[in-house]
Amino acid sequence: MLRSLVGSEMCIRDRYVIAMGASFLCSLAATIMATLLHSRVNELPRDLDIKWFIIEFADYHMMPTRFFQAGCAFIVLAVLFGIHTLYPLRTSLVLWCLGGALLVVCALAYLTMQSKTRTRLSRAISNTQSLRAVFKKVDQDRGGTIDFDELRAALEADPTLAKFLGVTAKQIEKVFDRIDDDGGGEITWEEFKIYFGR
């Protein structure tokens, strides 16, 4: 009886050590992957390149999160194995149930955030494409920038465009001055996107 009890405790201690080691390794992998992804993104000069990187390596972007989630699950398991050796069965079961409930709540919160983030990202990409089309439409001379006369003419000629941008004829001058951050008398694509993409 004593030998089986000691063997059982050793087995639980082994599980505890394995779970803690797995948690450490998963956390380390998450940190390394996040650092690699961050360093690659920081080297990309344009928004267009960053979008390409996100789409091209979409499977890799979730790896740090997945490793971190696994690390959290392993540490919870390790703590629960440790609890089992310290407390009587009834207390251990209660703590196991609470730990399981905590994991479920965290998983649900994560799935909710993931869903809303994906929705927001798809809207942002769609909005950027729409803004790009509007910018090209307003840029009559195809010079890559919009001057005041081009903006005024486009908004006066197309009421749906004015409604889409949320600018009335009375506001054109004020809005143009706000968008034209550098005061150069022309609006660049970046200025246009930052102002109307909010």
Short mmCIF file of all heavy atoms in Angstrom, two decimals, residues 111 123 170 196:
data_model
loop_
_atom_site.label_atom_id
_atom_site.label_comp_id
_atom_site.label_asym_id
_atom_site.label_seq_id
_atom_site.Cartn_x
_atom_site.Cartn_y
_atom_site.Cartn_z
N LEU A 111 -11.81 33.58 -28.11
CA LEU A 111 -12.57 33.37 -29.35
C LEU A 111 -13.41 34.58 -29.70
O LEU A 111 -13.54 34.95 -30.87
CB LEU A 111 -13.44 32.12 -29.22
CG LEU A 111 -12.68 30.79 -29.18
CD1 LEU A 111 -13.62 29.64 -28.87
CD2 LEU A 111 -11.92 30.55 -30.47
N ARG A 123 -13.05 44.69 -42.31
CA ARG A 123 -13.67 45.99 -42.61
C ARG A 123 -12.61 47.03 -42.93
O ARG A 123 -12.79 47.85 -43.83
CB ARG A 123 -14.50 46.47 -41.41
CG ARG A 123 -15.81 45.79 -41.27
CD ARG A 123 -16.61 46.39 -40.15
NE ARG A 123 -17.77 45.59 -39.85
CZ ARG A 123 -18.35 45.52 -38.67
NH1 ARG A 123 -17.89 46.21 -37.66
NH2 ARG A 123 -19.41 44.76 -38.49
N LYS A 170 -19.86 73.21 -47.45
CA LYS A 170 -19.39 74.28 -46.55
C LYS A 170 -18.12 73.88 -45.80
O LYS A 170 -17.35 74.74 -45.37
CB LYS A 170 -20.48 74.62 -45.54
CG LYS A 170 -21.71 75.25 -46.14
CD LYS A 170 -22.76 75.50 -45.08
CE LYS A 170 -24.02 76.07 -45.69
NZ LYS A 170 -25.08 76.26 -44.70
N PHE A 196 -9.53 59.97 -43.40
CA PHE A 196 -10.85 59.35 -43.66
C PHE A 196 -10.93 57.91 -43.20
O PHE A 196 -12.01 57.34 -43.13
CB PHE A 196 -11.19 59.43 -45.14
CG PHE A 196 -11.53 60.83 -45.59
CD1 PHE A 196 -10.70 61.52 -46.44
CD2 PHE A 196 -12.69 61.45 -45.13
CE1 PHE A 196 -11.00 62.81 -46.84
CE2 PHE A 196 -13.00 62.74 -45.53
CZ PHE A 196 -12.16 63.43 -46.38
#
